[in-house]
Amino acid sequence: MNITVYCGASLGENPSYQEGTIALGKWIAESGHTLVYGGGNTGLMGLIADTVLAHGGQVIGIIPEFLKDRELAHPHLSELRTVETMSERKLALIQEADAFIALPGGPGTLEEISEVISWARIGKNDKPCILFTIAGYYQALEQFFDNMVSAGFLTLEDREKTLFSDDLEQIEHFIASYQPPAAREYRNKT
């Protein structure tokens, strides 16, 4: 299957982020999956691509021309696709995916994983969404999602369709048994 991974173009301050990224990259390659990601050669992006390649896996990178021109594109991928805009890149990453995993990253990473989670709620994404919460990185966001449930902005059923975990066995099981949420319906006030 194709695993789209969103992650930072920086390594982050905690060495655990790198260790978790390497573990995920090995799992992707050794499970026979293909990594689909933003095509970069820096930070966790470069690290996960290098790890998958080093363990015999396939890597598809999708990068906008303006970033490729800055020499940020990874030079040794199985396939590198160039698009014009960030919006085209995001759409291609979504279309290629059988599952989505977010490693630690910044606002771009959060935007991308949030988009596919929200699309699942309206019936436009039937693929599992996982936040790989290395060293508790996404713990505050997980609590915020739980708060959305208690505040009435997210159903418990929809909340359970997004996994926060650092356990690769749990992630593998979640992907294998995933059932997409029913498309959210809106009703007028009466």
Side-chain angles (χ1 to χ4, degrees):
M1 97 178 81
N2 287 352
I3 309 285
T4 289
V5 174
Y6 303 121
C7 57
S10 299
L11 290 173
E13 296 297 323
N14 187 333
S16 295
Y17 303 150
Q18 295 173 52
E19 294 165 12
T21 298
I22 291 168
L24 180 62
K26 286 181 182 177
W27 174 78
I28 289 171
E30 292 170 359
S31 299
H33 303 313
T34 297
L35 169 66
V36 181
Y37 84 118
N41 195 31
T42 60
L44 297 182
M45 290 178 71
L47 182 59
I48 193 157
D50 289 342
T51 302
V52 172
L53 292 167
H55 289 85
Q58 298 293 305
V59 180
I60 299 170
I62 303 170
I63 193 165
E65 189 70 42
F66 75 93
L67 289 179
K68 184 179 178 188
D69 289 346
R70 292 183 195 168
E71 300 182 339
L72 296 176
H74 196 293
H76 305 294
L77 303 179
S78 310
E79 180 181 348
L80 180 65
R81 298 182 198 162
T82 304
V83 295
E84 291 300 314
T85 68
M86 291 296 283
S87 294
E88 289 177 73
R89 174 206 238 174
K90 286 171 46 179
L91 184 58
L93 289 169
I94 291 168
Q95 290 173 333
E96 286 295 326
D98 295 306
F100 302 95
I101 299 176
L103 285 166
T109 301
L110 184 58
E111 173 200 10
E112 290 169 320
I113 193 67
S114 295
E115 182 173 48
V116 292
I117 291 168
S118 67
W119 282 19
R121 295 191 67 221
I122 59 172
K124 296 300 179 186
N125 169 33
D126 61 357
K127 303 159 190 171
C129 301
I130 298 129
L131 290 99
F132 198 75
T133 190
I134 301 166
Y137 187 77
Y138 287 114
Q139 187 173 26
L141 185 60
E142 181 177 12
Q143 291 169 345
F144 187 66
F145 268 59
D146 292 340
N147 186 53
M148 288 180 200
V149 173
S150 62
F153 290 102
L154 179 66
T155 67
L156 181 59
E157 293 78 18
D158 283 356
R159 166 63 188 88
E160 291 171 347
K161 298 298 182 177
T162 301
L163 179 66
F164 290 81
S165 178
D166 64 353
D167 182 316
L168 289 169
E169 284 185 27
Q170 183 182 24
I171 289 169
E172 188 168 23
H173 176 74
F174 181 78
I175 291 171
S177 62
Y178 184 76
Q179 295 293 318
R184 184 174 178 198
E185 293 185 19
Y186 299 88
R187 292 189 173 87
N188 288 328
K189 289 182 169 181
T190 55

